[in-house]
Structures are given as C-alpha cells and as structure tokens.
Amino acid sequence: MASFKQIDLSGVFPPLPTPFNQDETVNHEHLRNNVAKWNEIGFKGYVVQGSNGEYTYLSDEERVELVRTVKQAAAPGKLIIAGSGCESTQATINMTQKMAEAGADVAMVITPYYFKGRMTNQAFMHHYEKVASASPIPVILYSVPANTGVDLSVDVVAALSQHPNIIGIKDSAGDVTKFGSMVQRTEASGFQVLAGSASFMLGTYTVGAVGCVAALANTLGKEVCQLHSLCKEGKMEEAKKIQHRLIAPNSAVTRKFGVPGLKVAMSWFGYYGGPTRSPLLPLTPEEVDSMRADFQSNGFL
Amino acid sequence: MASFKQIDLSGVFPPLPTPFNQDETVNHEHLRNNVAKWNEIGFKGYVVQGSNGEYTYLSDEERVELVRTVKQAAAPGKLIIAGSGCESTQATINMTQKMAEAGADVAMVITPYYFKGRMTNQAFMHHYEKVASASPIPVILYSVPANTGVDLSVDVVAALSQHPNIIGIKDSAGDVTKFGSMVQRTEASGFQVLAGSASFMLGTYTVGAVGCVAALANTLGKEVCQLHSLCKEGKMEEAKKIQHRLIAPNSAVTRKFGVPGLKVAMSWFGYYGGPTRSPLLPLTPEEVDSMRADFQSNGFL
Amino acid sequence: MASFKQIDLSGVFPPLPTPFNQDETVNHEHLRNNVAKWNEIGFKGYVVQGSNGEYTYLSDEERVELVRTVKQAAAPGKLIIAGSGCESTQATINMTQKMAEAGADVAMVITPYYFKGRMTNQAFMHHYEKVASASPIPVILYSVPANTGVDLSVDVVAALSQHPNIIGIKDSAGDVTKFGSMVQRTEASGFQVLAGSASFMLGTYTVGAVGCVAALANTLGKEVCQLHSLCKEGKMEEAKKIQHRLIAPNSAVTRKFGVPGLKVAMSWFGYYGGPTRSPLLPLTPEEVDSMRADFQSNGFL
Amino acid sequence: MASFKQIDLSGVFPPLPTPFNQDETVNHEHLRNNVAKWNEIGFKGYVVQGSNGEYTYLSDEERVELVRTVKQAAAPGKLIIAGSGCESTQATINMTQKMAEAGADVAMVITPYYFKGRMTNQAFMHHYEKVASASPIPVILYSVPANTGVDLSVDVVAALSQHPNIIGIKDSAGDVTKFGSMVQRTEASGFQVLAGSASFMLGTYTVGAVGCVAALANTLGKEVCQLHSLCKEGKMEEAKKIQHRLIAPNSAVTRKFGVPGLKVAMSWFGYYGGPTRSPLLPLTPEEVDSMRADFQSNGFL
C-alpha cells in the first residue's frame, strides 16, 4: 500500500461555502452548479466543511451529505478534503469515518477549542493521535485562531508530523515565521504545509508552503491559481504584483466581512452565494459598497 | 398567566458535571446519586449542560437525556436551568424546545462564538430575540468569554432585558464594573443578574447580582450557600472571610484545572467525579497536589 | 521610628491632572487653584504624577516640580503620593529620592513594562525590592494593565508585601477576584490595597480594599467620598445606588475618553481642565456630547 | 536639494545593543570595538537606540551620546539611523533635532503607546506629521507591538507615506499580509518598508520589503547579509535554506530571551555583550543552554 505521505497537496483548494435557500435549508443543486463551474479552473481539489462551509451551523448528517454531493460533482482527480473535526475526540473519530465513507480523500481536523485553558500541547497530541490512528484516510491538522482562540505550537506540529496518517496542516493564522519553522522541522517526513488564505500565499510559499486553501478562490479562482503557478515557477516579480492585488479582496471576504461577504462576492462572479445561516447576518448596503470598492480598486470588477 | 419575569433566580445553582464511565459513556446512575446528595444542600436549583457539563462533547440526545435525569432526581421545587445553546439560531431554538419538553424550567443560552468577527451587537440581538420568542420557557443569557472569546456588551444586555421571555444573565467574566452597569440598566424590567463563579460572588452581589452559578458549589455547596446567605443578610465581615477562603479552591476547579480538576475535587467530598471526555486530559499527580494544597490551606480538607 | 506600615491609606485620593497652557507648558497657578478647591473636599490626600498626570509626557524636572507645588498647596495633613516610576530600576530609585525631597509622603511605583516578554515575576521582584530598599519614603505598587500591558501576579504582590517599605498597591485593573486574593494573602502584614478607579470601589471594598485612587474624584469628589463613607459604615443599599450612578461618568473620564475627557469634565465643575500634551488629542464635539450624556443621565449635570 | 525619498534603505541594519559595565554605566570603548568588527560586514548601516539599545533605560543625554559614538566609529558611508521617539510629541521633536546634530542620517520614531485607548489613527497622524515636519533629517516610522501594545494601521502608514520627510517604516510585527498591503499602497511615493526581524525577511522581501533591521545581525551578521543578497538575486531555494536556519537563533535573541539573550549570544561570536540594565535580569543557566541549543542545532556554534 502506498504511504499516505505520498499524496500530493500542492495546489489551490477553495473551501466551499454551503448554499442555502432563503429558509436556510441546504440547496444541493446550487452546490452542484457551483462545483461544475469550479471544475473548469485548475484547482487541485476542494475543501468541504471548513469554516467557510459554516460547518458549525450544520447537523452531522448535513455535513456528511455535503461531502457526498461534492464528491459526485467534482471532476475526476480532484482531491476532496473534508472537515471532520468536532469538539470531542470520539465524535471526531466517528465523523472522520463517515466522511471517508462519503468519499472524502483526506480529513481536515480542526483543533478542539472550547476548554481553551486545558488545550495544552499534551491534549492536542492526544486528540490528534487518537483521531489519526482511527482514520481510514489521511489527516490534515487545521488551525484557525481567529475563530477558535487556540493555536498549535510548532513543537506539536513537528511531533504529529511523525504520525504516518498525518500528512499536513492548514494554517490560517499566517505567521510566516511559524510557517518557516514548521516546514524546516517537518519536511524530512514528507509533511506538507498549506497556507490557509490567499493573503499570505507568496510569503509562505517562499518558506516552503506547497499549497493554499483560499476562500478567495471561490470567486477569483483563476487568479489564485495563477499566483500559485507563478510561485512554483519562481517568477517573483509577477507573483508579487498579483499577490498585492489579491490582499484587499481576500481580506474583504475573510477578516472584514466573513462568509456573508464571500457569498455576496460569489454572486458577482456567476456563482450562487445566497444567505448564510443565522446568527450570521447579511451585509449592510454600506458593507457591500466597501467590499465592492476593494475588488474594483484592484481591477477585479 | 404569570410573567416569566416573576421567576426568582436568587440562590445558588451548581452547574452539574456529567458523570462518565471509564469508556466515556454517560452514567446516569452516578448522576442520580450525586443529585440526591446535592438535594440536601440549600440550592435554589441546578444548571444542567453548562460548560462544566462538558456539553460541547455531548450529542444532542445525550444533552436532553441528562436534563430528564436531573429533573427526575431533583427534589421538588428545585429550578432546573438547562443549557440549550448551539452555534446556529435554528439549532438553538430546536434544542430549547427539547429541553423544555424534558423538564427544564429555564433555558440558558450561551453566546454563539465561532465566527467571532461577525458576532456584532446586531447578530447577538437577532439571535437571542429569535430564540427567546420561540421558547416555551424563560431564557437566561450566558456569557463565558474564557471559553468563547466573545462577550455581550452592556448595551445588548440592556436591550434584551426588555424581552418578556429573557429574564436574566449568567456572566462568568466577573467584571464587577460591568455587573454594576448591567444591574443599573436592567433592574427596572425585573431582569436578574447571576454571578458565574464563586470567586466574585460578594463583590457582584453588592452591586446587585441576585444569585450565583458556581462550579465550586458541586464540592463546597454548603459554604457557597453560606456566603449567599451572609450577603443577603448584610453580614459583610463574615461574608468577606468566607469569600476570601473560597477564592483559591474556586480558581482551582475553574481557571487552573477546569472540569478535570472539578471532578477530582468532587471525589474528595463524597461525590462521583470520574473521567472527562477526551480531549480533556486527567490531571497530572502534580496538578492534583497543587489543587489539594489550595483546598487545604483554606481549611477545606 | 514608627513603621511605614502604620501609615493609613484608607480614603479617597484624586490622581491630579497636570494643567497645561495652550502652548503645552505647565501652569502651576492653575494647579494651586484646583488644589485649593479640592482641599475643601474630604480627600485623604492627592496622587501626583499618576497616569492622569500625563507623567509620561513630562520631563524629570517637571515631575518633581509638580510634586513640590502640590505639597505647598495641599491643606495640612493631606497625604501626598507621588508617582516616581521609570522604566529602569536606577532611574526609579533616583526619582523616588527626588520626590521625597520635594515633599512626597509616599512613592507610587508603576510596573516597568517596555520589555513585556522579560517582565517575569523575578524581574518585578528584583525591581521593587531594589527601589523600596533605597527609598526614604514608603512605596506603593502600581499596576495599570490598560496602559502598560503587564500585570503583577498575586504571588508577587504577596511576596513584596513582606518588605517593610512596601505598604500597599494601587490596582487599576479591577478584577474583584484578584482583589480578594491580594487582601487575603497580605492583610496580616499590614499591606493595604487601593482600588484604582471609582467604577469598582464598592465591589473591591467588600473584599477588603481600604481606599481608592479615582480619576472621577477630580470632578465628582464629594460623591466619591460619600461612596467611601457609605462603604465604611456598611450602608450597602445606599452605597449600591451611588455606585451605580458613578459607573458611567467614571468610564467616560477613563476608558472611553481618557485624560482629554477628564479635563473637559473638570471644566464643567469649576476646575481648570485645559489641553493635554500631544499626541493626546482634544475630544471631538461628538465625544463631548456623549460624555455629557453620561453625566446627565446619572443626575450629575 | 535631493529629496529625502532618494535615500536608499535597502540592506541590513543591526540594531546596536548598548554596552554596559557591571555597574550599569555605558561603556563607549566596548561600543567602538564592536562597531569596528561590524564595519567589516556588509551592513548598510546601523540602528542606534532602537529597542535592542535599551533606549527606555537611558537618559536623554546618554541616548544622544551613543549616537555620536557610533557615528564616529562607523565606517564611511554607513547610514546611521537613530531612534528618537519619546512619548510626547514635543519631546520627540527635541530628541530628533539632537540626534541630527549628533550625526544621525535618519530618525526612527517609535509609536507613542502609553495611553493606548487614545492612540487613534488621528493621534498617530498628528504626532508623526508634527515630528516629521520639524525634523531636519528623514523619518522612519517604527512599530513594535510586542513592546508597545499598539500598531499602525495600513491606512495611517499609507497616508503618512505622502509626507516628504517620512521615507519608510520598520515593522517588527511581521504580518506578511500587512507588509504586502503597505508596499502596494506606498510604493508609488518611494516609501520603503523594512522588516524588523530576520525571522520573516524572506517572506516580507518577496512582497516588497527592501531591507531589514535584525537583532540577529549583531551576532550572525554575515549570514543575515547573505540572506539579503540571495533574496535580491532571486536565489529562492538557497534563500529558503538559510532563512530556515536563522529562525530559531533569531527567535532566541528576540521573543524568547530578549536583549539579555542577545548580549550572551554576542559574546559567543567575539563581541562585547555584557549586562543589561535592571529590571532586565541576566539569563538563567538553563536559558543559556536552551539558547545555545537553538544556535547549535542550526549549525552556528
């Protein structure tokens, strides 16, 4: 059997938003249509049920069903990475197995975060080792401190990189120093580091990140893929120019306006965005204007 | 029909931990035995499925079933407050209704917190108004920034205090200035403010808090109730002395050692503590020693 | 020789703002006039060169000269507490000695804070022991994390309370749990804990704080003194009412609008406020309106 | 007269530590000897009185005198950047003029930071415009949130970049997204962005940083200059390798062990390190061992 470590994560992955009807029920048809459009862009694969999928607002069944839909709609060869993290270790194990059955190629496991004071290095180690050892598919660590308020230390990442089933990390914090340190301390084992945002792709790629999970790729997929290619080809001047132009739109659909913003921006580029689930509120008209300006001033609208 | 606002929350409520077997399954028998012991202390009622109940590690069914068990085991007249918060508004509505059917007298609804950047005053208002309006039982707001990383502003609390179904707040942050401000701005409507910890009972009572939800009450229930009574009777010097003695043990079972610590301390006082669910880890022997010292130096062991 | 520990700090101390002319030079005449008015209120004494004195914007000579002026203008018996803290230990020692020569009865020494990562318990212990041992007058610790970004742990405070020259602490963070813990662990040595704000006077007094350094006392001195007296007399209901009314005005002249706000409010009550030094900017008209509303809605204007 | 904007900041600048005798007095002889050694490395110039110079522990006269000494000891052509920031605007203006008289080519002005709540965009704008307009030499903005607890927004940096006397920024926070955004929004005006640490050189260079002020350059000057050159030449693979090796030693002499650590490391490489001023404490033997390991494991000892 080939090692999980041989799975190649280099490339761009949009973290797919979940399309809702006005009554907040899931609309799988819209999802299939969106995926059909995304299939024409050079993505490496799709992340399903990451933060941008509003996974915390979905039932277990909805989460699994969405993975199934994406797996069916995805073009052959696309890697399906499914967010399977839950707060408890056992629930995460169960969800990971269901995701595998639904067609996921890789499980992406967010840090547990509720009891922040007790989420020590030891607790994270214990959690991820249990989950990875029980997982039928390879596991990617997922750290997103802006949402969780906790982070994985480089020591923990380095230790976990030794586990045969743990093949990488998606880091959405974007500290380029930490990226460099993680790559240095894990690359011998074949561990792969993914940037969790298009805002810091170029910087983190130069210290060894191999791919990117970028919310912005849902709307500006070609441009994000172009940045990926320029980085890989070492065309640094061109890469810098497009990186600069992507920062403001990317910040708009992440830090500033979140998933409601991302869904509005998707509608500008021919995708179905639609509402979010409550308590996320729709953007105000002023917020929409501000976001549009961020796209326009960089030549994307 | 009597107004929900007439429900009296003044008193002490232990937030009940969930007893697990060694395999992490719920043990309802141990819970019933614990409640039988707690029934002999002068508690106003019980909080089920708060943070100390490890609610984030339980399935929806387990959460509801635990409320049912506590309702049955509680002595007549004990107020049952059930934590019914979920991340999405609709899920919270559903859970609140199930908690009411299971026997809860009051629903305690934690702030949603995953998408911190979008949890604005408006989002919190929208969430709580939807939940309260759909709830068959009165609602208590619940803010615990140490776990969630978000907080409710005084403006939001003051506005929500006008809702007929929202009768109070449990505030675990313990900022006595904020307590004073909340009481001042909500007392005219009959809104009641509860301290979320025994560490700051005396201070917050003097500015108008009427009751307390205290993890420490699971182990030192009589002493916490004594402090409550001394406060109500205006015996400030005696209250100060017992308040001082409670701070270190309370900090031990909350900030320092969390639920694993609380469960160890429960075993010292004749209750079933048992393991937590993973990823929470058991205390190390050094942590147990440190916690024991905090109880001993204040004369509780 | 009487022990420094016998000095009684119970009472209210306004932290005096520094009056500036329009060209930002110090105006000692305005200061004398202000002090003459304050002398008629029942203050225990004055804090000179605390944060509200904009001490970080003054030269060493200006700091000392201001203490001299206040000493001369103060009514007999008023305790003069002079802020003598500098970043380096040796500079703090020198300044403390100059303050003593200028007439200060007590030195208030802020935590050093620039190299936050190295300001360990050990570093704070070393600093304060050096300063206190070299000081001809008693020393009060001063912690104000909102400005400094560092804090003193209860362990450090407890250890330093054993030093014969360290007689108390002014704590501006206002965590009532920490106040209780500090009082419990230091009261045997005669150490005295002062609340650093009028917003949390009542709460911290009930756990053992003996006095208060309150910016608000510069404008609402009688009311702050009244709250102090009610606390000491155990008139808790009356104390609660005035405490509630003081929170919004106090927050206005501290957290919300800072020293520029305090100086505007002083002008409303017959004191000279005047400009601050740059980079502090004057309030906007909207900020003045908002601050006025905070005073008016509580019946103070 | 040539525009200040034509001054070229591309290159590596060590921020010189201040050598002290055992009694904490400044030793200018040791400083001259150190500079003589540094002169043989390809530095662009020197930063005097940055954070690593312990400027907050020095008197005004000491600060100016140290600039004079470095100016005299520096090899011809080295650019002398002097930290001239004080908390008040007027004091900063005065100090900047003295630094210019003492031979500084450029003034580096730290953000004022004591009254954090009032350090708004407007306050920073006002401060820097006043200082720059009064300065006889060009000004570099300096943001170091780890020490100050405040930061300059991209909007403020972009606005200030239009001032003819403000030629760049040293940013020690290291957020590569912010670097990209700053470069994009300021490069048209000739504004130059400097990385404030060797840990994130490569990442920030790729988005447009032109130079680096690196504490580590005091000990591993050749290696830091080599990384600078590799970046400029576009030799990305070699750059990545040395960047990786520099992170741990750099973190050791900055975040982990600070100036006391830097001075120990300097002694390992033939420079005079010596003590720091109190309240900074010397490293413990365990800390020295840990730091040595960080250098050794990357092949530098």
Side-chain angles (χ1 to χ4, degrees):
Chain A
M1 187 184 103
S3 161
F4 283 161
K5 301 276 188 182
Q6 291 171 324
I7 293 176
D8 180 10
L9 300 175
S10 61
V12 174
F13 301 81
L16 307 189
T18 302
F20 296 115
N21 298 308
Q22 288 303 321
D23 66 357
E24 297 195 0
T25 54
V26 177
N27 187 313
H28 288 266
E29 185 61 24
H30 282 312
L31 180 57
R32 275 187 288 269
N33 291 341
N34 280 346
V35 172
K37 287 205 183 78
W38 285 318
N39 279 336
E40 296 174 19
I41 299 174
F43 294 133
K44 182 74 176 182
Y46 302 113
V47 166
V48 197
Q49 296 311 301
S51 298
N52 286 288
E54 298 173 64
Y55 83 94
T56 54
Y57 297 162
L58 303 177
S59 70
D60 290 357
E61 294 71 26
E62 287 174 325
R63 291 175 70 179
V64 174
E65 197 56 39
L66 282 158
V67 170
R68 205 180 316 271
T69 294
V70 172
K71 179 68 177 180
Q72 292 166 348
K78 300 287 184 189
L79 206 63
I80 307 300
I81 303 177
S84 66
C86 303
E87 271 292 305
S88 90
T89 305
Q90 188 58 51
T92 304
I93 289 171
N94 297 346
M95 181 61 79
T96 301
Q97 289 170 341
K98 285 180 194 161
M99 291 301 197
E101 290 162 17
D105 301 303
V106 175
M108 185 177 80
V109 178
I110 196 169
T111 53
Y113 53 88
Y114 188 73
F115 293 106
K116 301 188 197 318
R118 299 298 293 175
M119 290 301 101
T120 57
N121 282 359
Q122 287 71 27
F124 284 133
M125 293 285 294
H126 180 80
H127 179 74
Y128 279 112
E129 284 170 356
K130 286 270 189 185
V131 171
S133 295
S135 174
I137 52 177
V139 166
I140 292 177
L141 314 176
Y142 176 24
S143 177
V144 54
N147 288 343
T148 64
V150 300
D151 201 359
L152 296 171
S153 71
V154 174
D155 284 342
V156 164
V157 174
L160 291 173
S161 73
Q162 301 302 312
H163 192 290
N165 291 4
I166 298 178
I167 66 169
I169 184 170
K170 173 192 170 189
D171 182 316
S172 295
D175 176 350
V176 72
T177 303
K178 188 181 176 188
F179 270 79
S181 193
M182 286 193 293
V183 171
Q184 183 192 27
R185 293 183 55 186
T186 64
E187 63 188 348
S189 67
F191 189 82
Q192 298 166 78
V193 177
L194 301 179
S197 164
S199 282
F200 45 79
M201 268 181 85
L202 176 52
T204 56
Y205 272 48
T206 56
V207 295
V210 301
C212 185
V213 180
L216 189 66
N218 287 298
T219 64
L220 298 179
K222 286 185 185 170
E223 291 81 355
V224 177
C225 287
Q226 187 185 359
L227 176 52
H228 175 85
S229 300
L230 291 169
C231 289
K232 295 291 176 181
E233 297 160 10
K235 296 181 177 168
M236 304 311 288
E237 270 306 307
E238 290 173 75
K240 183 175 75 175
K241 280 185 190 123
I242 191 162
Q243 175 67 82
H244 282 177
R245 292 174 59 215
L246 293 178
I247 290 175
N250 186 77
S251 297
V253 301
T254 56
R255 290 186 206 174
K256 281 163 73 175
F257 304 118
V259 184
L262 175 59
K263 288 185 165 180
V264 169
M266 285 173 65
S267 72
W268 295 341
F269 293 91
Y271 300 94
Y272 178 81
T276 55
R277 280 198 171 161
S278 175
L280 283 177
L281 295 181
L283 298 196
T284 65
E286 292 72 26
E287 290 177 318
V288 172
D289 289 346
S290 165
M291 195 170 74
R292 188 179 289 111
D294 286 331
F295 277 77
Q296 285 176 331
S297 66
N298 286 285
F300 294 117
L301 275 180
Chain B
M1 188 184 103
S3 161
F4 282 162
K5 300 276 187 181
Q6 292 171 321
I7 294 176
D8 180 10
L9 300 175
S10 60
V12 173
F13 301 81
L16 308 188
T18 302
F20 295 115
N21 297 307
Q22 288 303 321
D23 66 358
E24 295 194 1
T25 53
V26 177
N27 187 314
H28 288 265
E29 185 61 23
H30 283 312
L31 180 56
R32 275 187 288 268
N33 292 341
N34 281 346
V35 172
K37 286 206 183 78
W38 285 317
N39 279 337
E40 296 173 18
I41 299 174
F43 293 134
K44 182 76 175 182
Y46 302 113
V47 167
V48 196
Q49 296 312 302
S51 298
N52 286 288
E54 296 173 66
Y55 82 94
T56 54
Y57 296 161
L58 303 177
S59 71
D60 290 357
E61 294 71 27
E62 287 173 326
R63 291 175 71 179
V64 174
E65 197 56 38
L66 282 158
V67 170
R68 205 180 316 271
T69 294
V70 172
K71 179 69 177 181
Q72 292 165 348
K78 300 287 184 189
L79 206 63
I80 307 300
I81 303 177
S84 66
C86 303
E87 271 292 306
S88 90
T89 305
Q90 188 58 51
T92 304
I93 290 172
N94 298 346
M95 181 59 80
T96 302
Q97 290 171 341
K98 284 181 194 161
M99 290 302 196
E101 290 162 18
D105 301 302
V106 176
M108 186 177 79
V109 178
I110 195 169
T111 53
Y113 54 88
Y114 188 73
F115 293 106
K116 301 186 198 321
R118 299 298 294 175
M119 289 301 102
T120 57
N121 283 359
Q122 287 70 29
F124 284 133
M125 293 284 295
H126 181 79
H127 179 74
Y128 279 112
E129 284 171 356
K130 286 270 190 187
V131 171
S133 296
S135 174
I137 51 177
V139 165
I140 292 176
L141 314 176
Y142 177 23
S143 178
V144 55
N147 288 343
T148 64
V150 300
D151 201 359
L152 296 171
S153 71
V154 174
D155 285 341
V156 165
V157 174
L160 291 174
S161 73
Q162 300 303 311
H163 193 291
N165 291 3
I166 299 179
I167 66 168
I169 183 170
K170 173 193 171 187
D171 182 316
S172 296
D175 176 350
V176 72
T177 302
K178 189 181 176 189
F179 270 79
S181 194
M182 286 194 293
V183 171
Q184 182 192 28
R185 292 183 56 186
T186 64
E187 61 188 350
S189 68
F191 189 83
Q192 298 167 78
V193 177
L194 301 179
S197 164
S199 282
F200 45 79
M201 268 181 84
L202 175 53
T204 56
Y205 272 46
T206 57
V207 295
V210 302
C212 184
V213 180
L216 188 66
N218 288 296
T219 64
L220 298 179
K222 286 186 184 169
E223 291 81 355
V224 177
C225 287
Q226 187 185 0
L227 175 53
H228 174 85
S229 299
L230 291 170
C231 290
K232 294 291 175 181
E233 297 160 10
K235 296 181 178 169
M236 304 310 288
E237 269 307 306
E238 290 172 73
K240 184 174 76 174
K241 279 187 190 121
I242 191 164
Q243 175 67 84
H244 282 177
R245 292 173 59 214
L246 293 178
I247 291 176
N250 186 78
S251 296
V253 301
T254 57
R255 293 186 204 174
K256 280 163 75 175
F257 304 118
V259 185
L262 174 59
K263 287 185 165 179
V264 169
M266 284 172 66
S267 72
W268 294 340
F269 293 91
Y271 299 94
Y272 179 81
T276 56
R277 279 198 172 162
S278 176
L280 284 177
L281 295 180
L283 298 197
T284 64
E286 292 73 25
E287 290 177 317
V288 173
D289 289 347
S290 165
M291 194 170 74
R292 188 180 288 112
D294 286 331
F295 277 76
Q296 284 176 332
S297 66
N298 286 285
F300 294 117
L301 276 179
Chain C
M1 188 182 101
S3 162
F4 283 161
K5 300 276 187 181
Q6 292 171 322
I7 293 175
D8 181 10
L9 299 175
S10 61
V12 174
F13 301 81
L16 308 189
T18 301
F20 295 115
N21 298 307
Q22 289 304 322
D23 66 357
E24 295 195 1
T25 53
V26 177
N27 186 314
H28 288 266
E29 186 61 24
H30 282 313
L31 180 57
R32 275 187 288 268
N33 292 341
N34 281 346
V35 173
K37 287 205 183 78
W38 286 317
N39 279 336
E40 296 174 18
I41 300 174
F43 294 134
K44 182 76 176 180
Y46 301 112
V47 167
V48 196
Q49 297 310 301
S51 297
N52 286 288
E54 296 174 66
Y55 83 94
T56 54
Y57 296 162
L58 303 178
S59 70
D60 290 357
E61 294 70 27
E62 287 174 325
R63 290 174 71 178
V64 174
E65 197 57 38
L66 282 158
V67 170
R68 205 181 314 272
T69 294
V70 172
K71 179 69 177 180
Q72 291 166 349
K78 300 287 184 188
L79 206 63
I80 306 300
I81 303 177
S84 65
C86 303
E87 271 292 306
S88 89
T89 305
Q90 188 57 51
T92 304
I93 289 172
N94 296 347
M95 181 61 79
T96 302
Q97 290 170 341
K98 284 180 194 161
M99 290 303 197
E101 289 163 17
D105 300 303
V106 176
M108 185 176 80
V109 179
I110 196 170
T111 53
Y113 53 88
Y114 188 73
F115 293 105
K116 301 188 197 320
R118 299 298 293 176
M119 290 301 101
T120 57
N121 283 359
Q122 287 70 28
F124 284 133
M125 292 285 293
H126 180 79
H127 178 73
Y128 279 111
E129 284 170 355
K130 285 271 190 185
V131 171
S133 295
S135 174
I137 51 177
V139 166
I140 293 176
L141 313 176
Y142 177 24
S143 177
V144 55
N147 288 342
T148 64
V150 299
D151 201 358
L152 295 172
S153 71
V154 175
D155 285 342
V156 164
V157 174
L160 290 174
S161 74
Q162 301 302 311
H163 193 289
N165 291 3
I166 298 179
I167 66 168
I169 183 171
K170 173 192 171 188
D171 182 316
S172 295
D175 175 349
V176 71
T177 303
K178 189 181 176 189
F179 269 79
S181 193
M182 285 194 293
V183 170
Q184 183 192 28
R185 292 182 57 187
T186 63
E187 61 188 349
S189 69
F191 189 82
Q192 297 167 78
V193 176
L194 301 178
S197 164
S199 282
F200 46 78
M201 267 181 85
L202 175 52
T204 56
Y205 272 47
T206 56
V207 295
V210 301
C212 184
V213 180
L216 189 66
N218 287 297
T219 64
L220 297 178
K222 285 184 184 169
E223 292 81 357
V224 177
C225 288
Q226 188 186 0
L227 175 53
H228 174 86
S229 298
L230 291 169
C231 289
K232 294 292 175 180
E233 297 160 9
K235 296 181 177 168
M236 303 311 288
E237 269 306 306
E238 290 173 74
K240 183 174 76 174
K241 280 186 189 122
I242 192 163
Q243 174 67 83
H244 282 177
R245 292 173 59 214
L246 292 178
I247 291 175
N250 186 77
S251 296
V253 301
T254 56
R255 291 185 204 176
K256 281 163 76 175
F257 303 118
V259 185
L262 175 59
K263 287 186 165 179
V264 169
M266 285 172 66
S267 72
W268 294 342
F269 293 91
Y271 300 94
Y272 178 81
T276 56
R277 280 198 172 162
S278 174
L280 283 178
L281 295 181
L283 299 196
T284 65
E286 292 73 26
E287 290 176 318
V288 172
D289 289 346
S290 164
M291 195 170 74
R292 188 179 289 113
D294 287 331
F295 277 77
Q296 284 177 332
S297 66
N298 286 286
F300 294 118
L301 274 181
Chain D
M1 188 184 103
S3 160
F4 282 161
K5 301 275 187 182
Q6 292 171 322
I7 293 175
D8 181 10
L9 299 174
S10 61
V12 174
F13 301 82
L16 307 190
T18 301
F20 296 114
N21 298 307
Q22 288 303 321
D23 65 359
E24 296 194 1
T25 54
V26 178
N27 187 314
H28 288 266
E29 186 61 25
H30 282 312
L31 180 56
R32 275 188 288 269
N33 291 342
N34 281 346
V35 173
K37 286 204 182 80
W38 285 318
N39 279 337
E40 295 174 20
I41 299 173
F43 293 134
K44 182 75 176 180
Y46 302 112
V47 167
V48 195
Q49 296 311 302
S51 298
N52 287 288
E54 296 174 65
Y55 83 94
T56 54
Y57 296 162
L58 302 178
S59 70
D60 291 357
E61 294 70 28
E62 287 173 326
R63 291 175 71 179
V64 174
E65 197 57 37
L66 282 158
V67 169
R68 205 181 315 272
T69 294
V70 172
K71 179 68 177 180
Q72 291 166 349
K78 300 288 184 188
L79 207 63
I80 307 300
I81 302 177
S84 66
C86 304
E87 271 292 307
S88 90
T89 306
Q90 188 57 51
T92 305
I93 290 172
N94 297 348
M95 181 61 79
T96 302
Q97 290 170 341
K98 284 181 194 161
M99 291 302 197
E101 289 162 18
D105 300 302
V106 176
M108 185 176 81
V109 179
I110 196 168
T111 53
Y113 54 88
Y114 188 74
F115 293 106
K116 300 188 198 320
R118 299 298 294 175
M119 290 301 101
T120 57
N121 283 359
Q122 288 70 27
F124 284 132
M125 293 285 294
H126 180 79
H127 179 74
Y128 279 112
E129 284 170 356
K130 285 272 188 185
V131 170
S133 295
S135 173
I137 53 178
V139 166
I140 293 176
L141 314 176
Y142 177 24
S143 177
V144 54
N147 288 343
T148 64
V150 300
D151 201 359
L152 295 171
S153 71
V154 175
D155 285 341
V156 165
V157 174
L160 290 174
S161 74
Q162 301 302 312
H163 193 290
N165 291 5
I166 299 178
I167 65 169
I169 184 171
K170 173 192 171 187
D171 182 317
S172 295
D175 176 350
V176 72
T177 303
K178 188 181 176 188
F179 269 80
S181 193
M182 285 193 295
V183 170
Q184 183 192 27
R185 292 183 57 187
T186 64
E187 62 188 349
S189 68
F191 188 82
Q192 298 166 79
V193 177
L194 301 178
S197 164
S199 282
F200 46 78
M201 268 181 84
L202 176 52
T204 56
Y205 271 47
T206 57
V207 295
V210 302
C212 185
V213 180
L216 189 67
N218 288 297
T219 63
L220 298 179
K222 285 185 185 170
E223 291 81 355
V224 176
C225 287
Q226 188 185 358
L227 175 52
H228 174 86
S229 298
L230 291 169
C231 289
K232 295 291 175 181
E233 296 160 11
K235 295 181 176 169
M236 304 311 288
E237 268 308 306
E238 290 173 74
K240 183 175 75 174
K241 280 187 189 121
I242 191 164
Q243 175 67 84
H244 282 176
R245 292 174 58 216
L246 292 178
I247 291 176
N250 185 77
S251 296
V253 300
T254 57
R255 291 186 205 176
K256 280 163 74 175
F257 303 119
V259 184
L262 175 58
K263 288 186 165 180
V264 168
M266 285 173 65
S267 72
W268 294 341
F269 293 90
Y271 300 94
Y272 178 82
T276 55
R277 279 198 172 163
S278 175
L280 283 177
L281 295 180
L283 298 195
T284 64
E286 292 72 26
E287 289 177 318
V288 172
D289 288 347
S290 165
M291 195 170 75
R292 188 180 287 111
D294 287 331
F295 277 77
Q296 284 176 332
S297 66
N298 286 286
F300 294 118
L301 274 181

